[in-house]
Amino acid sequence: MTVSGGLVLPDPAHRAPGRGAHLHPVTECLDLAERRKAFPRAFKVPGPLDTSQVRAQVER
């Protein structure tokens, strides 16, 4: 996953530039990461991030 413009974006090929983060493709792991506010820490960016695109990919 990468972040761009406040959106957490899936990066299944691991080719996007910039800082990346790993998440198990399981809904429970995504829920836990959101509750713990792990994405802003992992990407070293302030504020909340929109994880809707990652959620859509995980729920597929």
Side-chain angles (χ1 to χ4, degrees):
M1 291 180 294
T2 61
V3 69
S4 178
L7 295 171
V8 179
L9 304 170
D11 182 24
H14 307 288
R15 299 283 185 233
R19 189 167 184 86
H22 175 77
L23 177 76
H24 293 111
V26 179
T27 305
E28 291 82 12
C29 290
L30 177 58
D31 293 339
L32 183 60
E34 289 176 333
R35 268 198 322 270
R36 291 183 175 178
K37 299 180 173 110
F39 293 117
R41 278 196 320 268
F43 294 119
K44 296 185 179 183
V45 297
L49 297 172
D50 180 4
T51 59
S52 60
Q53 292 185 20
V54 172
R55 182 166 297 280
Q57 174 135 357
V58 167
E59 291 177 349
R60 255 192 263 153

